[in-house]
Amino acid sequence: MRILFLSKTNSPSFQFYSESLLSINLVSGFEITCSSGVRDWNYDLYDIVLFMWGSNDSIKAKRNNNKIFCGIVDPRGLSNDQFISSDFIIVNGVESQIFFSEYGLPTFIYPVYPKMTSNIQSKTYNELLLGYHGNKIHLEDMMPRITKALQELHEHTPIIFHAMYNIKDLGRSDKISSSNLGFKVKHIQYSVDNYEKYISCCDIGIVPQLIKHNKIPFFEKNKVNYNMKFKSTTNLGRHFVFCQYKIPIVTDLTPSSSEFFQHGVNGLMAYSTKSWKESLLRLNDSNFRKLVGMNGFKSWSLNYSHETLNKKLLGSFLELKR
């Protein structure tokens, strides 16, 4: 089976997907080509073509090859024409799977994330080291719900916080800072190399996923209810960086995280400031951290390694071709 994966731009998501999908070439009977940029392709040579979101050329592909199957990878937003002539969708998580279910197309979940090296940087100080990697919006939306929990944890156990995000393009956060929060915050420019240098040595990984929203008076008054807002593209990708390093995770409660994590077994989930603090305090125990981190690694390796995801995806392609 010959597969073609195309994108008009060489976006970070396309790069991560390409990195993981290229290992398909190691599977007997399958071959994949990944390419970004605009050029003419001979679709007659392929059985499956994958178009990155915003790059759909399914009409032309099927005009040239009426037996080819076309899929859209990592779609965003609502657009009536983005799935024209498409046969299936590949999404990051269950949130997107449900969001795009109205189109009635087979949808496969394939979280995108970078593959980490086995090298782990040694921690050079005694404080509890917490790590974050992701976008600046999620980082700053930690205030005050999660940052207050970190401040209360710091009163119990001295902490240092590594925050890795795109400082070059988005600027350094003034909100998440040592002077503002009362504990040391190290701002780190996002790069693949800095995962090993600054993230691999962390004691705890934190993954905030909820975003701020206008208050709904009834739910705000009724403290027994959850009041959550999260993106349709919410997924497990950021978690799996920590899992590869066997770093235990505290994450916001979302559909994806609740599918993967058994609370207190292979990770911990939280919502309120108090629940974030409680989960972080539990991971102050080094033996418990090691156990949870190892369980997270095993769960990721068994269900979501690139090799496992590719095996499931290729099985789905074979079903489509029958």
Side-chain angles (χ1 to χ4, degrees), residues 15 47 92 116-118 120 133 171 180 182-183 191 198 216 221 230 288 308:
Q15 293 176 41
D47 303 289
N92 266 332
M116 299 293 99
T117 67
S118 58
I120 296 178
H133 69 97
N180 200 28
F183 52 82
S191 75
Y198 295 107
I216 305 173
K221 290 178 182 179
F230 48 85
F288 185 59
T308 299

Side-chain angles (χ1 to χ4, degrees), residues 6 30 37 47 93 98 135 144 159 226 243 252 256 307 309:
L6 302 177
F30 294 90
D47 303 289
I98 295 170
N135 63 47
I159 67 171
Y226 287 99
C243 286
D252 270 327
S256 283
E307 294 74 18
L309 289 171

Side-chain angles (χ1 to χ4, degrees), residues 151-184:
Q151 289 171 315
E152 293 178 4
L153 173 67
H154 182 61
E155 294 175 0
H156 186 276
T157 301
I159 67 171
I160 293 176
F161 183 48
H162 281 186
M164 188 169 83
Y165 57 104
N166 190 353
I167 301 171
K168 180 180 178 181
D169 293 333
L170 302 177
R172 184 186 177 108
S173 174
D174 294 325
K175 296 179 181 179
I176 306 298
S177 63
S178 302
S179 59
N180 200 28
L181 297 178
F183 52 82
K184 184 177 180 180

